[in-house]
Every structure is written in C-alpha cells, then in structure tokens.
Amino acid sequence: MSSSTPTAATADLPVKRLLVLSLGSIGVVYGDIGTSPLYAFREAIRPVAGDGVSMQEITGIISLMIWTLTIIVTLKYVFFLLKADNNGEGGTLSLLALLAHRLSAGRARFLFLMGLIGAALFLGDAMITPALSVLSAVEGLKLVTPALSPYVLPLSIVILVALFAVQSRGTGAVSKAFGPITLVWFLVLAVAGLSHIIEAPAILKALNPIEAVIFFAHSGYAGFVVLGAVFLTVTGAEALYADLGHFGRKPIQLAWLAIVYPALILNYLGQGALVMQDAATIENPFYLMFPEWALVPAIVLATAATIIASQAVITGAFSLVSQAIHLGFLPRLEITHTSASDTGQIYLPMVNGVLLFGVMLLVLIFQSSDALATAYGISVTGAMVVTTLMFFDFLRVGWRWSLPAALALIVPLAAFELTFLAANLLKIHDGGYVPVLIAGLAVVIMWTWRRGSAMLTEKVRANAIPLKDFIAALETSGHAPNDAAGTAVFLTADPTIVPSAMLHNIKHNHVLHERNIILTIRTENRPTVPVAERVEVERLTDRFSVVTLFFGFMDTPNVSQALGHVRRANLKFDIMTTSFYLGHRKLVPSARSEMPAWQDKLFIALSGIASDPSDYFRLPSNRVVELGAHVAI
C-alpha cells in the first residue's frame, strides 16, 4: 500500500510530483496519528476530572499535547530522523542494518538487541492500533442513540475481520482513495476545532508551553498519570520514519507541516475549548464537537479514517517482517506480491493470521476503547526510545557529530521520552502488560531464530569439506563419479565448503554434472541492489563455478530471474536442462546443545513453519531436487 518508490533525494521533485506524493503520504503515513483525536484528549483529562476540571487543567493538558507533538514529531522525526536514511529507506531495522558493521562488536550487539526490541514493539502496536482505532470510531454510534450501544462491539468485529480478509487481494486499487479521504478527515478536524476556538478563544493560552509546566508542577501524581495518556497524541509517529522509502523525505515533511500538524493542533484546541464551555462534554469531547446533524457523517468519516490507519499499520507490519526475514531475524515465510507494478505491496498470510487473531483477542478482552487505551502507549514510547538510542549512534558514525553535540540533542530528547515511558509503565497492571507480552514473545522468537541459525551454521561448517580441496581431490582421483549431462545448481549459505546436497548426490546417485554452480544468496545491509551489481561469478574450473547473488533487504530474492544475468556473464547454461539441488535438514534436539531445551524446541518449530526454499527463492518448481539429512542442534 505505497506509492511508487521515489529516490532518496527528493529535493528536486517537480511540484506536481511533490504534491501527489504528499497527498499519498497523508493517507499512509499519517493515518494512525490522525485518528488520535478520537480518544487522546478524552483519556488525558480523565485522571483529573473526578472533582471537575478547571480552566488551568484544560489549558495545561492541551499544552502538553501540543508540545509533545511539536518536540517528538516535528523536531525529532520531521526535522532530524527523516534525514537518517539507509539509501532512502527508514525504520528501526533499516537503521540497524546501516549501523551494524560500523560500530564496535559490543556496541553492535547492544544495537542488535535494541533493534529487536524496537521491531517487536512495533508488532505489538500493529495489533493494538486497529482494535483501538475502529472501536473508538464506532463508539460514536452511542451518541446517536443509546439503543445502538449493543451493536458497537459486533460491528467493530465485522469491520476488522473484513479488513484482514481483503489483505490477500492487495490494496492497490483502494489505496488511491486513502490520501483524499484522509485529507478530508484532517480538514474536518481543523474546521471542527476552529469553530469551538472562536467560541472560547481563552484556550489559545495552551499554545504557551509554560501552561504545560504549570499544570505538571501543580498536579502531582495525577499529572504523571496524565502523561501516559498525553502520549496517545503521537501514536503512529514511527510511521513517518518507517515509510520514508515509500514517499521520500520532502513529501512527508510537506504533508506534516502544511496539513497534518495544523489540523491536529486546531482540533485539540477545539476539544479543550468545548470542555471549557461545557464540562459534561468530557464524556466524548471529539464527537460532541459536531452538531447533531453532522454526527452520523462524522462517525462514517471517522470509521473510514480508522480503517485507513489500520491498513497502514498492517502494511507496515508486513514490510517490517519482510525486512526481518531478509536480515536473518525470522525464518522464511511466504511472501506474496499483490501488485505487478509496485513491489512495496506485499502480503504475508501467516503474519496476517497472527495479527487478526491478536486484534480479535484484544477486542473481545477489552471490549471498549476506554479499556484498550490503557494498554496503549508502552509499545509506542518503547519503540521511540529505542529509535532515539539508535539515532545517537547514527549522529556519531553517520553524520560524524562530536560527542558533546550528539549528547546535547539526544539527552533532552531521551529524558523527555523516558518520562513518558515511565508514566505509561504505571498502566502495566491495567492492561499495559499486553504490549509488553506481545513484544517479549516477538523478541524471544527473533533472538531464538538468530541464535539457532548461527549454531546450525557452525555445526555444518565444523563437519564440512573445503570446496577447493574437494575439487582438487576429484581431479587427482581415479574414482571420479559418473558424468551427468546438463548443469546442477547447489544452493548453499557458505560457498567455501561442499554443499551437503552435492555430497549426498555423489554418495547415493554416484553422479556429478558436467557443470556445477555453487550458488549463494546474500542479503546486503541496504534496501535494494541495482541489477548491474546483482551477480558475482568466480570460475574455479571448467566444471565448477561459484555464483553469488546479491539482494537488498527490500528486494524479492527471485533467483530464476537473477540467473538470467549469470548467462550474460558468459556462464552459459539452459535453465530447462538445469537441476536445482537443495539440502533439506530435519532438525533434532541434542543433549549437548548450547541452547536450553525449550529454545531448541522453539527453533525446530520455527524451522518447521519456514516456507519451502524453492518457493521463497522463486525456483522453477519442476527443476528442483531435495536431498535430506538429520542434523542435531
């Protein structure tokens, strides 16, 4: 669900193209943060509303919300992080890939852990966002008539199930409407807010950050609790960075500064002005901003906006998991491209199923946006803190900032976000444990896969035969295997050793092909690899060649297509007389494993759900031969 991918440098974009990309980014990038007005102010003011609300409390909370948006979104993301790209791509894993080989081993391991935590927290966010957003929009029906209250939960479930059900068909056609619909949404937010600001202009005091300081200084513990809800205003800010490669820096910046930021500020000020005039509207200040005749259209538009926001988060989860697979954090999962022209539109059936299960569980457990909002925030604040810590390293090694300069930017920002994280941790017993459990499970899975894969590689390498020694022995031996016509391609992770499939073929079939290609697929720490740099060929003998195919972590590893470039590199073979040999390992736990028994079993289970290599690497299905072996880990 992205626009066609622009280049990293968007400074020279024609004005028309800039506007088109900016419109697209409004729907995709800002869908989540654009639905925060539905619940953010309502949840923020609730902790201090028990004994009524004063004007100072209203202006103080609105000021906190405005300056949180300004400092975290505008300053951190729009002005700084959007410039920290990995060849035009953004996001936690993209930044991790960029930094991984430019730091000391100890620091790289720390960032590796941070990257896993950040990715895991985003996946938790991807479950909570659709549930909270859709529930909060549909709950507006209660204000139309209380008789509709019993239908809120069933209708929310129907909308969410339908949303996940259409993922396999792709969102290319409907995504063209996302930008215009969300633009209308932001314009409605602005107009609704402005209409109430005019009626109570005293709310404009909230633009002064001193109001936030005064509120926080006088509200005590309640003010700290309020901070946890105030952070709901910036949910979705990570999407600015994660979707950088879809639209480019300039369009995302323009959309924020010209449309999104002003609309959000006006709406929050308007909600504050409404409550300032009538304290009873604290029940649902967003929907009560609208006159009775406009309530139903507002509910319909809000529901459309939350569906778009949910779609953006789901697509972001697909993209993140795809990156994690290519970077070796997760096993190979089935990835389907839903658009012939836009490689950014992908669908992962297993991820879609897990997200749907998680979203349904959250909706059925919490049943209202009020209850679910308490579970929100920890994943968002945690992910932002992780990004800030990683950005510190980027400032040092990427932009070569001095240590004092980097600390001058990062320390205040990290302190600001850590304060919000601490405030959200107060909700750990009241639903906040949900994103922590989701993220913890995701971290364990990714850490187990990474560790188990490394152990498996070491075990295979320890018992391997060096390829060059094997070739030399074949040439001097008087007992060479029988010749087989055609070309054999052996996929292997290590081109310096003899592939296990080749050894099994010689052992059981007693044949060796006329031409043998040892094929290795490498994922680079950059988003894409140009076609001209995709293939590297090393001829060892007339009979043996080592071919390395390079893909970026955003590329589709289509081996059949890439091998066409090998033929152009003077390595002649006919794909229809070529056999692809894959080594299939059946993993069994070992009593001497370096991992605990539960982790062994988890790694073996993860290996079992991995998609078939022939499908994942797009090999011709009628030319694949699999030879298996048992391996103890």
Side-chain angles (χ1 to χ4, degrees):
M1 187 195 63
S2 67
S3 173
S4 56
T5 304
T7 60
T10 55
D12 299 325
L13 276 176
V15 173
K16 183 178 179 181
R17 181 63 174 160
L18 177 62
L19 294 176
V20 169
L21 287 172
S22 296
L23 179 61
S25 72
I26 288 174
V28 175
V29 177
Y30 296 113
D32 189 2
I33 200 170
T35 57
S36 295
L38 284 164
Y39 47 80
F41 179 60
R42 181 191 70 198
E43 297 302 319
I45 203 168
R46 185 165 291 167
V48 297
D51 57 350
V53 290
S54 66
M55 178 175 174
Q56 186 180 38
E57 287 173 331
I58 295 170
T59 56
I61 291 173
I62 295 295
S63 184
L64 274 172
M65 299 173 81
I66 289 172
W67 286 98
T68 298
L69 279 170
T70 303
I71 294 171
I72 291 181
V73 184
T74 307
L75 179 65
K76 174 186 171 180
Y77 284 94
V78 174
F79 286 148
F80 280 101
L81 260 179
L82 286 181
K83 298 177 183 177
D85 66 288
N86 184 351
N87 289 334
E89 291 292 336
T92 303
L93 291 182
S94 182
L95 191 58
L96 177 63
L98 180 66
L99 295 170
H101 299 296
R102 304 173 70 176
L103 300 169
S104 64
R107 188 66 183 174
R109 281 194 296 271
F110 172 74
L111 281 191
F112 167 74
L113 177 61
M114 288 295 99
L116 289 188
I117 292 173
L121 288 168
F122 182 86
L123 292 177
D125 186 20
M127 286 187 184
I128 298 176
T129 294
L132 175 59
S133 298
V134 172
L135 269 174
S136 61
V138 179
E139 281 171 351
L141 292 173
K142 296 178 181 179
L143 300 177
V144 176
T145 170
L148 293 175
S149 296
Y151 300 99
V152 168
L153 189 63
L155 181 58
S156 299
I157 290 174
V158 168
I159 291 171
L160 288 166
V161 170
L163 175 64
F164 282 95
V166 301
Q167 295 301 313
S168 61
R169 300 183 180 181
T171 58
V174 293
S175 66
K176 294 177 182 177
F178 285 178
I181 291 174
T182 313
L183 176 61
V184 171
W185 168 251
F186 281 116
L187 293 177
V188 169
L189 290 183
V191 171
L194 188 60
S195 66
H196 290 282
I197 294 170
I198 293 171
E199 295 174 358
I203 192 62
L204 293 175
K205 288 176 62 180
L207 294 173
N208 186 347
I210 299 299
E211 292 292 318
V213 175
I214 293 173
F215 167 80
F216 197 64
H218 290 85
S219 56
Y221 177 77
F224 199 63
V225 176
V226 165
L227 281 183
V230 165
F231 210 81
L232 294 173
T233 59
V234 294
T235 56
E238 280 285 313
L240 274 77
Y241 189 38
D243 287 325
L244 175 60
H246 289 190
F247 300 97
R249 177 165 53 89
K250 291 292 184 182
I252 293 175
Q253 288 177 326
L254 177 62
W256 173 257
L257 296 173
I259 300 293
V260 181
Y261 182 50
L264 292 175
I265 298 295
L266 288 172
N267 191 265
Y268 288 127
L269 286 169
Q271 290 191 48
L274 176 67
V275 175
M276 191 179 289
Q277 291 179 292
D278 182 2
T281 58
I282 197 172
E283 175 194 356
N284 199 323
F286 177 80
Y287 278 124
L288 291 174
M289 296 175 75
F290 296 92
E292 188 174 341
W293 62 266
L295 185 56
V296 172
I299 294 171
V300 172
L301 183 59
T303 303
T306 56
I307 290 172
I308 292 170
S310 301
Q311 177 62 61
V313 172
I314 294 168
T315 302
F318 289 163
S319 179
L320 182 136
V321 171
S322 175
Q323 291 182 36
I325 291 169
H326 294 154
L327 291 171
F329 296 135
L330 289 171
R332 293 184 302 265
L333 300 177
E334 181 185 348
I335 300 176
T336 303
H337 286 264
T338 58
S339 171
S341 58
D342 188 352
T343 57
Q345 290 188 29
I346 57 175
Y347 168 67
L348 285 80
M350 181 167 291
V351 176
N352 194 63
V354 170
L355 288 178
L356 174 59
F357 175 78
V359 168
M360 288 296 103
L361 201 61
L362 289 172
V363 170
L364 293 173
I365 289 174
F366 291 93
Q367 298 197 0
S368 73
S369 63
D370 292 350
L372 195 52
T374 61
Y376 213 18
I378 293 179
S379 57
V380 179
T381 50
M384 287 185 177
V385 169
V386 166
T387 304
T388 298
L389 294 175
M390 296 177 73
F391 185 49
F392 171 75
D393 286 281
F394 181 85
L395 291 175
R396 299 282 288 132
V397 303
W399 290 348
R400 301 190 181 280
W401 281 29
S402 66
L403 181 60
L407 289 174
L409 174 63
I410 295 301
V411 169
L413 194 56
F416 191 60
E417 292 177 344
L418 286 170
T419 303
F420 279 108
L421 179 59
N424 275 285
L425 288 174
L426 295 175
K427 303 186 293 185
I428 196 78
H429 66 285
D430 193 21
Y433 61 88
V434 172
V436 174
L437 287 177
I438 295 171
L441 179 61
V443 167
V444 168
I445 288 173
M446 289 190 282
W447 171 54
T448 297
W449 181 256
R450 186 82 166 189
R451 187 182 181 193
S453 298
M455 286 174 49
L456 187 59
T457 300
E458 288 299 318
K459 283 184 177 291
V460 170
R461 190 173 291 149
N463 301 315
I465 301 171
L467 180 61
K468 292 185 178 179
D469 292 349
F470 174 77
I471 294 173
L474 279 179
E475 292 178 346
T476 57
S477 172
H479 303 285
N482 298 319
D483 286 343
T487 302
V489 176
F490 296 90
L491 270 72
T492 179
D494 187 349
T496 65
I497 62 176
V498 182
S500 60
M502 178 180 285
L503 291 176
H504 287 304
N505 195 35
I506 293 173
K507 178 180 178 180
H508 297 290
N509 298 326
H510 309 291
V511 296
L512 189 67
H513 283 70
E514 292 174 331
R515 290 174 299 279
N516 298 274
I517 295 175
I518 313 301
L519 178 63
T520 303
I521 299 166
R522 301 283 186 220
T523 300
E524 298 280 271
N525 285 328
R526 47 178 170 160
T528 60
V529 173
V531 172
E533 302 173 23
R534 180 142 294 170
V535 179
E536 187 178 277
V537 178
E538 179 187 3
R539 284 183 174 273
L540 302 179
T541 66
D542 290 340
R543 198 169 193 176
F544 287 89
S545 298
V546 174
V547 174
T548 306
L549 298 180
F550 298 95
F551 296 95
F553 58 78
M554 297 287 286
D555 288 329
T556 300
N558 190 326
V559 171
S560 296
Q561 187 180 74
L563 285 177
H565 304 293
V566 174
R567 292 198 295 272
R568 298 188 195 111
N570 296 321
L571 191 64
K572 297 180 180 179
F573 64 93
D574 180 7
I575 196 77
M576 297 313 297
T577 60
T578 298
S579 297
F580 292 85
Y581 286 84
L582 304 177
H584 179 76
R585 300 188 184 104
K586 180 176 176 57
L587 303 180
V588 293
S590 169
R592 295 179 295 174
S593 173
E594 297 175 21
M595 295 193 297
W598 67 266
Q599 204 168 24
D600 277 340
K601 292 177 181 177
L602 177 58
F603 179 69
I604 292 171
L606 290 172
S607 300
I609 65 172
S611 65
D612 191 283
S614 60
D615 295 330
Y616 185 80
F617 293 117
R618 308 295 196 274
L619 302 177
S621 57
N622 60 340
R623 308 300 307 172
V624 175
V625 179
E626 290 194 29
L627 298 171
H630 282 66
V631 178
I633 61 168

